[in-house]
Amino acid sequence: MRGELLREIEQFLYREARLLDERRFGEWLDLFTDDVRYWMPVRSTRYPRRSKAIVVLDPDRHEEEELAKDGELGIFDESKETLCRRVARLDTGMAWAEDPPSRTRHLVSNVEVEPGDHEGEIKVYSNFLVFRGRGETEQDFYVGSRRDTLRDVAGAWKIARRTIILDQNVLLAKNVSIFF
Amino acid sequence: MAGNGRWQVSSLVDLKRGLVSRELFVNDEIYEREQEQIFARSWLFIGHESQVRRPGDYFVSCMGEESVILTRDQQQTIHVFLNTCRHRGMKVCRYDEGNTSVFTCPYHGWSYATDGRLVGVPLFKDSYRGDLDRSEWGLVEVAQWINYKGTIWATWDPAAPPFLDYLGGMKVYLDTVLDCRDGREGGSEVLGGVQKWIMPCNWKFAAENFAGDAYHNISHRSVDLVGIGPSGKERRDTAERATAQRLGASFPELGHGATSFLELEDVPYTPSYQDTPIVEEYFRHCFEERRRRLGPGARLLGLVGNVFPNAAYLARQPRSIAAWHPRGALKTEAWRWFLVDADAPAEVKDVLRRYFLRYSGPAGMTEQDDMENWNYATLASKGVIARRYPYNYQMGLGQEYGSYDSPGVLTDRVAEQNQRGFYQRWAACMELDGP
């Protein structure tokens, strides 16, 4: 049964990736719950608060020092409503950062599923490598991981929470005009 | 443009005719000269005191191309040092922020206290035989620094005028960012973290845009249409536009530029952040209190500006400071901080934070489109033919005047005088005899 669930979630994530690459943003939005938090914290190289030796030897004491905490800055901190507004902006015909549109290819891998904290929820981990081609020769690579909480809503999985960890400090792309 | 490095600045910037050469935005020689003439001599934005609250706290920032460390030493004094070991150059700090009692260089072990003193030299007795005068080899410190209403600025030039003189009349506009929303002076803190991203364009595209480009509404029309406003609807700049006079202020001798709104009389409170009552009530309270404290001074509503050379701000919605760090003629590393009143309620800070992130930063719905414009403007200006055609800065030429009781050379409509003022100062800096 665990294998079946894993396969199901992988297919869910692949389909989500295809919706993004095919720019079917309305359908992509439907994959989120109404109370979703879509959060990409900023990342910086912060000196560990504890001695590095202790962190290395005792994994239980490992803290993620690099990521911004709640209440600190991110690249995204969106609700369902603000995600909808971002998508609506793309429809105005004047969202110049995406007009002409970027070409994206979302590669998703390293999918893991764990029981969630609440009934009807599961935790899903995945890695991504998103290629973004733009214009004539521009290309950007966004690499990172996602930590999702998926919730069973009337028999369908929906994303109730997504934390996106980008593996860059200074963002090397000129913008983040796409979704992860 | 000659190969011997000398050129006529007057051929690059012709403000009487409102023309600025494209070379400023693509030329490597000009870029190199800027590092010496502008970034080595001007007051530059470093960070905020709230990033180094306790002794030993540090935050690594930039001055021009160079990495610097903002520290608070054990005596609570702030310092700004060049992030490089005096021995063989290795960065003494490769973390972005943290707390330490000493910076130890991983190459040969020289160690510096948080006040910059060289306190540890391996083999000092055996090999240096005590002959090294450690007091001469501390971390390189800036010539001047200041904490202005929480913001830290520094300069390498001991002959630079004091910061308040450097700011001049721009102070009243910068204060619209740095003062509390209810009119008390200072009182800001930055939200945790700094957004950092690469812009494929010259730093001056960003600086001149924030100094005075009120013309580029089509860039951001998409966000007006979807209702990015703090109340979830309408334009970015809320309802003040309907009742207030636009005020563009330029300081051509200094290079700063600011755009604000000026209420011509006391107008009733315009609600904003109506989607979130706790925030709406907070701003209503701030509005009333600010008017009580400042009287007619409360009529000045800051919008955007740029402190020469490369520190820009958004004064209210959002409330942010950005530094445009030069990384070559065609590249800039943008750093963006967001400010709130330190004693604002947590719910207010959180709502503001999320609004700020929607608006600004690399995923900001407004900022994204600026990146696109500056990127392609750069690409289209690199060619030998394109470079023969200067950019047009003629809007409002000769129509500046100062009829409002506000500092600067003023204009009351969309114009390009702030940009002309920026380049006037740029040209003056570039023409000085350099070392």
Side-chain angles (χ1 to χ4, degrees), chain A residues 10-180:
Chain A
E10 282 174 351
Q11 290 295 303
F12 174 88
L13 294 176
Y14 294 156
R15 180 166 179 273
E16 188 214 346
R18 184 161 59 82
L19 290 177
L20 284 175
D21 293 334
E22 293 180 359
R23 301 184 77 79
R24 290 155 63 180
F25 296 119
E27 292 171 72
W28 179 72
L29 287 171
D30 285 340
L31 299 180
F32 294 92
T33 60
D34 290 339
D35 64 343
V36 67
R37 183 183 183 203
Y38 182 93
W39 163 235
M40 183 193 279
V42 296
R43 187 160 185 172
S44 62
T45 313
R46 302 195 206 191
Y47 196 79
R49 261 181 237 109
R50 300 190 176 91
S51 155
K52 283 190 271 191
I54 292 173
V55 167
V56 164
L57 295 175
D58 183 352
D60 287 341
R61 297 184 69 178
H62 173 68
E63 247 185 280
E64 277 159 354
E65 302 283 351
E66 291 219 338
L67 302 178
K69 309 281 183 293
D70 274 354
E72 296 185 337
L73 292 191
I75 305 296
F76 285 117
D77 196 351
E78 307 298 306
S79 62
K80 178 78 175 279
E81 204 248 315
T82 61
L83 282 175
C84 288
R85 231 181 279 169
R86 285 180 176 273
V87 169
R89 173 175 162 270
L90 299 175
D91 258 343
T92 61
M94 282 189 273
W96 313 113
E98 281 298 313
D99 196 335
S102 296
R103 284 166 227 108
T104 64
R105 192 61 56 195
H106 288 68
L107 304 180
V108 178
S109 69
N110 301 73
V111 180
E112 296 176 75
V113 177
E114 283 178 3
D117 294 332
H118 304 108
E119 181 78 36
E121 289 185 353
I122 52 174
K123 290 190 198 167
V124 178
Y125 303 92
S126 59
N127 289 352
F128 65 85
L129 193 156
V130 179
F131 171 85
R132 194 269 289 272
R134 219 182 138 57
E136 292 173 352
T137 53
E138 284 174 68
Q139 55 184 24
D140 295 303
F141 291 89
Y142 304 86
V143 181
S145 72
R146 298 171 309 183
R147 298 173 197 168
D148 295 339
T149 299
L150 263 54
R151 184 186 302 151
D152 185 330
V153 177
W157 291 112
K158 296 217 186 244
I159 303 165
R161 187 181 171 98
R162 167 162 287 174
T163 300
I164 302 155
I165 319 262
L166 202 62
D167 292 324
Q168 281 180 349
N169 181 341
V170 175
L171 190 69
L172 299 179
K174 69 185 177 189
N175 64 27
V176 178
S177 57
I178 61 169
F179 300 109
F180 303 103

Side-chain angles (χ1 to χ4, degrees), chain B residues 141-212:
Chain B
E141 188 157 12
V142 293
Q144 306 182 54
W145 69 272
I146 192 171
N147 179 344
Y148 180 65
K149 297 194 173 182
T151 54
I152 310 297
W153 305 73
T155 178
W156 298 111
D157 186 1
F163 182 72
L164 285 178
D165 293 346
Y166 180 91
L167 209 50
M170 181 69 174
K171 170 181 151 49
V172 71
Y173 303 112
L174 183 59
D175 285 348
T176 63
V177 194
L178 301 181
D179 287 340
C180 276
R181 307 295 85 178
D182 67 2
R184 285 173 293 156
E185 289 204 63
S188 64
E189 69 180 14
V190 291
L191 294 171
V194 179
Q195 292 176 327
K196 304 177 185 176
W197 75 101
I198 298 292
M199 309 193 298
C201 66
N202 186 276
W203 65 274
K204 294 190 291 300
F205 271 110
E208 66 149 79
N209 182 290
F210 279 78

Side-chain angles (χ1 to χ4, degrees), chain B residues 200-222:
Chain B
C201 66
N202 186 276
W203 65 274
K204 294 190 291 300
F205 271 110
E208 66 149 79
N209 182 290
F210 279 78
D213 189 338
Y215 191 30
H216 69 294
N217 277 317
I218 190 173
S219 296
H220 304 312
R221 183 105 181 90
S222 65

Side-chain angles (χ1 to χ4, degrees), chain B residues 75-360:
Chain B
Q75 273 64 50
Q76 306 268 11
T77 304
I78 282 179
H79 300 268
V80 181
F81 300 114
L82 207 53
N83 185 5
T84 177
C85 185
R86 295 296 304 280
H87 180 237
R88 211 59 89 243
M90 174 59 172
K91 272 190 173 177
V92 298
C93 184
R94 288 165 301 134
Y95 291 88
D96 296 330
E97 57 185 278
N99 182 288
T100 191
S101 53
V102 80
F103 295 101
T104 298
C105 179
Y107 195 178
H108 303 93
W110 280 28
S111 294
Y112 303 88
T114 50
D115 61 2
R117 281 176 305 120
L118 178 59
V119 295
V121 175
L123 302 181
F124 181 69
K125 285 210 187 74
D126 284 349
S127 294
Y128 284 98
R129 315 263 172 110
D131 275 347
L132 181 70
D133 181 356
R134 283 178 289 198
S135 70
E136 303 257 296
W137 292 95
L139 292 176
V140 177
E141 188 157 12
V142 293
Q144 306 182 54
W145 69 272
I146 192 171
N147 179 344
Y148 180 65
K149 297 194 173 182
T151 54
I152 310 297
W153 305 73
T155 178
W156 298 111
D157 186 1
F163 182 72
L164 285 178
D165 293 346
Y166 180 91
L167 209 50
M170 181 69 174
K171 170 181 151 49
V172 71
Y173 303 112
L174 183 59
D175 285 348
T176 63
V177 194
L178 301 181
D179 287 340
C180 276
R181 307 295 85 178
D182 67 2
R184 285 173 293 156
E185 289 204 63
S188 64
E189 69 180 14
V190 291
L191 294 171
V194 179
Q195 292 176 327
K196 304 177 185 176
W197 75 101
I198 298 292
M199 309 193 298
C201 66
N202 186 276
W203 65 274
K204 294 190 291 300
F205 271 110
E208 66 149 79
N209 182 290
F210 279 78
D213 189 338
Y215 191 30
H216 69 294
N217 277 317
I218 190 173
S219 296
H220 304 312
R221 183 105 181 90
S222 65
V223 302
D224 292 337
L225 288 174
V226 303
I228 196 178
S231 295
K233 29 186 184 294
E234 298 159 11
R235 299 178 59 100
R236 297 168 285 129
D237 47 11
T238 74
E240 279 109 21
R241 186 173 279 264
T243 57
Q245 174 65 58
R246 176 192 300 281
L247 189 70
S250 175
F251 299 89
E253 320 285 307
L254 303 170
H256 317 309
T259 300
S260 313
F261 283 108
L262 190 65
E263 302 281 3
L264 298 176
E265 56 188 32
D266 285 348
V267 296
Y269 171 64
T270 307
S272 64
Y273 295 99
Q274 284 161 288
D275 281 355
T276 32
I278 194 171
V279 181
E280 197 278 316
E281 207 214 280
Y282 167 80
F283 277 102
R284 178 188 299 273
H285 161 80
C286 286
F287 175 90
E288 283 157 11
E289 187 60 14
R290 183 167 180 262
R291 173 163 294 169
R292 192 187 67 76
R293 281 178 192 271
L294 306 181
R299 293 188 197 158
L300 181 67
L301 306 169
L303 185 63
V304 302
N306 190 77
V307 175
F308 190 87
N310 67 333
Y313 66 78
L314 289 152
R316 287 180 311 126
Q317 311 195 103
R319 186 177 172 194
S320 176
I321 293 180
W324 317 117
H325 299 306
R327 292 286 181 269
L330 305 178
K331 201 152 91 155
T332 302
E333 188 172 320
W335 285 28
R336 188 172 276 297
W337 292 252
F338 293 100
L339 286 77
V340 291
D341 288 351
D343 57 11
E347 300 92 331
V348 169
K349 290 184 189 177
D350 198 58
V351 165
L352 290 177
R353 184 183 60 87
R354 283 188 285 116
Y355 173 68
F356 295 166
L357 295 182
R358 282 207 292 286
Y359 193 109
S360 292

